[in-house]
Amino acid sequence: MSKMDHSSSSRMKELALDKYRNYINLDQPFIWKSNRLDLDELHKIAYQLLKYFMKEYSEANSHHAPDDDYLNDMPLSQKTSHLRQLLTIRHPAEYNKIPDNIQQLLDIFLQNQIDPNEIQSAASLPRVNQLFSNNNDPFFSKIALWRGDITRLACDAIVNAGNTGLLGCFQPTHLCIDNVIHAQAGPQMRADCFTIMNKLKLNTESVGSAKITRAYNLSSRYVIHTVGPEINDHHGNHSISSGRSPTKNEMAELASCYISCLELASLVGLKSIAFCSISTGIFSFPQDKAAEIAIHTVREWLNVNRTNTSIELVIFNVFKPNNEVFYIEQFERIAGTRVNILDNHRTLNRETKTDIDVAIEWLKSSNSLLIAAAAGLSASAGLDYTSEKLVKDLYPGLYKAGFRTLYSTFGGGMSDELQWGYLFSQVHNVRYNWPPSTVYQQLKQIALSFNDNRFFIITTNADGMFERNDFPVENRLYTMQGDYSMIQCLRPCSNNSVWPVRKYFEAAYPYVDKKTQLLTDKTKLPRCPQCGGKMFLNVRAGDWFLSTPYDQQAKQYNTWLTNSIQQANAANRLLVILEIGVGFNTPSVLRWPMESLAERHKNIRLIRINVDHSEIPTHLVTGQKGVSLSMDATKAIQLLWQGFFNK
């Protein structure tokens, strides 16, 4: 990598700190309120905030605002989610300034989303030089690698990987770091970014440049916003699966992001700065190359500026273990040796032992067990709906037709012959022939230790994995999103136009080409026996979905839940929810209801297993009613199984 002019006048001009610094009160400290609220107080404030911002949005968009009772009855996690969504889409140019009393309530509410025990002090982070024996490279003494939530990192500045608009992401369902940081900081930070763009008369922020604001309700003091390069697919769209290598110009742009952030931090006199993995999310920059550029650029800059910078610590923040590995490999190349494995385990990996121990203790002392399972559990058994390799291996015809994941098949774009060739192949592979897996078998052993009908399964998975693994599911299973073993009228022509799929499958599957996934005999396309219309598997893939086959399951679940709560209260024992692989695709179906149960009932505990989104609302953590296991379901269930049975 060639050296760059780190102190060029053009870069200083682009940073333009003096032209906006005073307009956003950059040097005025933002003082946190000290209020720690109980659950009732959080509910009241969330209701007030949601009512204000919902009314504001409804008036601006000519929508009818929801009834007060509807807002008040929401569980706190749902109130919080709706509030964050309203703030995400709120553009400072389109709305009036937030009243001071509302802003003060919002600050208190956002600050209560962070458990003080979750805050990681930058000063206490181990330096990378501790990972190597007899290595005196001065660079390593100024570097830390930390895996965790960057919004919980107490340092001078964290780096936000934004977009060229610099105002944050306006898509409420995006879980990009831009959204995560803005959501916790609060709307003042977006207002500051808006002021910067106006004062500098910018329509877009340049790739590779940076701007700084206060961090407000984050754990850091400042946020430095930078825009990294996008790796585009052949159609000019950014795509995580684009697969191409970055150009020399894109690599230089990424290096420029790091240099601009370091220059800006140094101008403000900051001592510590934490970098996220810029451009490696939806912007699709390869993670290994991004780590190489990040480390070598920072190393070169610190070397050139070692006598004229305030920066004493640079933190590379990662969120996933596989991203962490790329940084470790680069450190090893520089050091010329492998890291000390013991030190690596102690200093780099987030501590999960305490949460595992708590989860095991809850399971052992519980009276009943509710298993709430979603796609993450099936993925741990090999059925990963986000896996490109799975589609390529199982369904080469689909792959050739441009479908890269099983999720992408729900978007349409298939002929009837390809659609039913794939669906019947999926029924054959998944519903009838998927092999038993260790994760389900260990989960079953835990469940079966709860005798006398004291466990129940509620799942959004339609794949039949619990039956395939011989769970005793009679009167204990609610498949709320449907079942691959059923087929329905797509119209539908009646509330009862649902039938077992077996007859249709056996008639058609022999005519499915295993290479192309095409159903070669059109006469085998299923037709509704009542109206002659088109059919589809009985899964919730549209508003045509018929839930009637699962009404009895829903009644059984509600009866079991009511009885189990009463029994737990009477015996003063726990009802444990073991939630596995439930993300944010449809949080109102499982995720929020499980949080609500733990929130409303004193003897319910929530164990959340999710490799990407294990976060639990702060009020459940501080109330010792929820723990998060940020790991793959296979590993988490194995640890729980070992601890539960004292293996």
Side-chain angles (χ1 to χ4, degrees):
M1 187 180 300
S2 61
K3 285 192 174 183
M4 303 177 67
D5 182 359
H6 301 297
S7 57
S8 66
S9 58
S10 61
R11 186 178 301 279
M12 292 298 103
K13 183 178 180 181
E14 197 167 53
L15 295 177
L17 178 61
D18 290 341
K19 293 185 178 181
Y20 65 82
R21 186 174 197 156
N22 293 332
Y23 289 106
I24 61 171
N25 299 315
L26 185 68
D27 301 306
Q28 180 178 325
F30 179 75
I31 307 300
W32 269 39
K33 286 72 177 172
S34 58
N35 312 54
R36 296 305 300 176
L37 306 181
D38 61 28
L39 187 58
D40 288 339
E41 291 172 321
L42 283 171
H43 263 292
K44 290 176 183 177
I45 289 183
Y47 167 73
Q48 289 177 267
L49 292 171
L50 195 55
K51 185 176 180 180
Y52 173 83
F53 287 108
M54 191 72 80
K55 180 182 178 183
E56 179 190 63
Y57 174 80
S58 299
E59 290 176 350
N61 294 276
S62 302
H63 289 172
H64 175 68
D67 296 335
D68 287 356
D69 289 343
Y70 172 76
L71 297 179
N72 200 34
D73 290 342
M74 282 184 184
L76 182 58
S77 55
Q78 192 170 352
K79 285 189 178 85
T80 303
S81 179
H82 283 315
L83 179 60
R84 287 186 184 276
Q85 290 181 38
L86 287 167
L87 293 175
T88 297
I89 62 177
R90 190 180 189 276
H91 198 293
E94 298 173 1
Y95 293 94
N96 295 324
K97 182 179 180 294
I98 298 172
D100 290 344
N101 64 318
I102 296 295
Q103 185 61 65
Q104 186 175 22
L105 286 177
L106 182 57
D107 289 338
I108 293 172
F109 184 78
L110 289 174
Q111 289 161 22
N112 272 267
Q113 300 306 300
I114 296 181
D115 181 352
N117 295 320
E118 293 180 340
I119 296 177
Q120 172 64 56
S121 168
S124 64
L125 287 173
R127 304 303 190 260
V128 170
N129 62 353
Q130 298 177 28
L131 302 179
F132 300 98
S133 302
N134 302 319
N135 189 287
N136 298 317
D137 191 320
F139 168 66
F140 287 150
S141 65
K142 291 187 175 183
I143 302 297
L145 176 62
W146 183 66
R147 175 153 54 94
D149 182 350
I150 200 169
T151 67
R152 269 62 173 166
L153 186 55
C155 59
D156 285 344
I158 63 172
V159 172
N160 174 36
N163 56 53
T164 55
L166 208 70
L167 301 182
C169 174
F170 286 86
Q171 300 185 51
T173 58
H174 264 200
L175 295 173
C176 57
I177 193 167
D178 201 10
N179 246 349
V180 169
I181 289 175
H182 270 274
Q184 183 57 48
Q188 303 106 306
M189 192 171 78
R190 175 174 280 174
D192 283 355
C193 291
F194 183 67
T195 298
I196 291 171
M197 297 297 280
N198 278 344
K199 294 301 178 183
L200 299 182
K201 298 180 180 179
L202 296 174
N203 293 320
T204 58
E205 172 73 334
S206 300
V207 175
S209 187
K211 301 293 182 286
I212 186 170
T213 65
R214 288 179 291 173
Y216 294 98
N217 298 300
L218 290 156
S219 304
S220 59
R221 293 168 55 209
Y222 297 95
V223 175
I224 298 178
H225 309 262
T226 190
V227 182
E230 296 185 43
I231 304 298
N232 298 319
D233 62 22
H234 298 301
H235 304 289
N237 302 310
H238 54 248
S239 168
I240 289 177
S241 59
S242 62
R244 74 164 176 82
S245 299
T247 64
K248 288 184 178 180
N249 183 60
E250 288 164 341
M251 289 189 284
E253 287 176 333
L254 183 59
S256 181
C257 290
Y258 287 90
I259 295 168
S260 295
C261 291
L262 291 166
E263 294 280 6
L264 199 49
S266 197
L267 280 173
V268 180
L270 307 185
K271 293 184 178 181
S272 59
I273 179 173
F275 285 100
C276 63
S277 299
I278 301 168
S279 282
T280 59
I282 195 171
F283 281 12
S284 310
F285 208 101
Q287 293 184 15
D288 54 348
K289 193 64 180 177
E292 177 188 347
I293 291 171
I295 290 171
H296 285 270
T297 302
V298 170
R299 187 184 188 208
E300 184 181 355
W301 190 92
L302 288 175
N303 182 53
V304 170
N305 294 276
R306 59 185 177 275
T307 60
N308 61 346
T309 180
S310 59
I311 297 174
E312 299 174 357
L313 173 62
V314 176
I315 304 158
F316 292 111
N317 167 248
V318 296
F319 195 67
K320 296 181 180 180
N322 62 332
N323 196 204
E324 184 179 49
V325 168
F326 296 127
Y327 285 84
I328 294 172
E329 289 175 347
Q330 290 300 319
F331 293 145
E332 289 176 336
R333 289 192 181 101
I334 294 171
T337 184
R338 299 294 298 274
V339 300
N340 183 299
I341 298 300
L342 178 62
D343 283 347
N344 176 28
H345 178 77
R346 186 180 70 243
T347 61
L348 294 180
N349 291 337
R350 284 188 297 179
E351 183 59 61
T352 56
K353 182 176 183 295
T354 300
D355 287 341
I356 284 287
D357 286 344
V358 170
I360 292 169
E361 180 182 318
W362 285 352
L363 285 170
K364 285 185 172 182
S365 61
S366 62
N367 189 68
S368 305
L369 174 67
L370 175 59
I371 298 171
L377 179 57
S378 292
S380 69
L383 184 60
D384 185 352
Y385 274 70
T386 67
S387 170
E388 186 171 331
K389 183 178 184 301
L390 187 143
V391 175
K392 195 172 185 179
D393 291 345
L394 283 185
Y395 307 115
L398 271 187
Y399 191 86
K400 187 175 181 180
F403 296 92
R404 292 295 180 262
T405 68
L406 294 182
Y407 274 133
S408 68
T409 63
F410 293 116
M414 296 186 194
S415 66
D416 289 346
E417 292 82 2
L418 180 58
Q419 181 184 71
W420 276 107
Y422 157 66
L423 290 176
F424 283 136
S425 297
Q426 184 78 337
V427 170
H428 172 269
N429 291 329
V430 176
R431 194 61 177 85
Y432 296 151
N433 292 289
W434 203 267
S437 66
T438 300
V439 63
Y440 273 93
Q441 293 300 314
Q442 291 179 338
L443 181 60
K444 181 174 67 175
Q445 290 181 38
I446 294 174
L448 290 179
S449 69
F450 291 81
N451 299 320
D452 304 322
N453 199 37
R454 289 192 291 115
F455 82 88
F456 202 98
I457 302 163
I458 181 171
T459 180
T460 55
N461 297 337
D463 50 34
M465 288 284 191
F466 287 100
E467 292 99 320
R468 292 290 307 154
N469 284 272
D470 295 323
F471 274 73
V473 297
E474 186 175 0
N475 302 324
R476 294 180 177 182
L477 176 67
Y478 178 21
T479 56
M480 58 200 313
Q481 301 286 61
D483 194 319
Y484 285 173
S485 70
M486 305 296 288
I487 191 171
Q488 70 163 85
C489 177
L490 192 56
R491 188 174 295 174
C493 58
S494 76
N495 287 333
N496 296 310
S497 52
V498 186
W499 299 270
V501 76
R502 173 75 71 173
K503 179 179 73 172
Y504 299 90
F505 166 78
E506 290 179 347
Y509 188 66
Y511 298 93
V512 175
D513 187 304
K514 306 308 183 290
K515 292 183 178 180
T516 65
Q517 278 68 65
L518 288 171
L519 180 58
T520 58
D521 185 347
K522 290 185 178 182
T523 66
K524 305 303 180 183
L525 290 171
R527 292 288 175 177
C528 175
Q530 293 181 170
C531 70
K534 289 186 176 183
M535 304 183 80
F536 200 81
L537 294 182
N538 182 219
V539 294
R540 194 184 298 273
D543 56 10
W544 41 261
F545 171 68
L546 290 173
S547 63
T548 46
Y550 316 102
D551 290 347
Q552 182 61 28
Q553 292 181 357
K555 291 178 182 178
Q556 291 169 347
Y557 166 66
N558 289 323
T559 299
W560 179 90
L561 184 61
T562 299
N563 292 339
S564 296
I565 291 172
Q566 292 174 350
Q567 292 166 8
N569 291 340
N572 196 26
R573 296 183 66 188
L574 301 180
L575 188 166
V576 170
I577 301 171
L578 187 55
E579 183 197 279
I580 312 168
V582 180
F584 284 98
N585 283 342
T586 52
S588 60
V589 177
L590 268 186
R591 191 177 177 99
W592 290 341
M594 296 304 108
E595 291 175 357
S596 180
L597 284 173
E599 177 186 310
R600 290 187 288 111
H601 298 282
K602 65 177 183 178
N603 287 332
I604 291 184
R605 301 293 183 268
L606 173 62
I607 301 171
R608 172 164 286 159
I609 299 171
N610 195 302
V611 70
D612 292 323
H613 304 295
S614 64
E615 59 271 20
I616 284 182
T618 302
H619 62 277
L620 293 181
V621 176
T622 55
Q624 298 181 343
K625 301 196 72 180
V627 294
S628 62
L629 305 180
S630 181
M631 60 184 74
D632 174 75
T634 299
K635 180 180 178 182
I637 296 300
Q638 181 183 33
L639 291 173
L640 293 176
W641 177 80
Q642 289 172 341
F644 189 80
F645 292 108
N646 299 315
K647 296 289 186 179

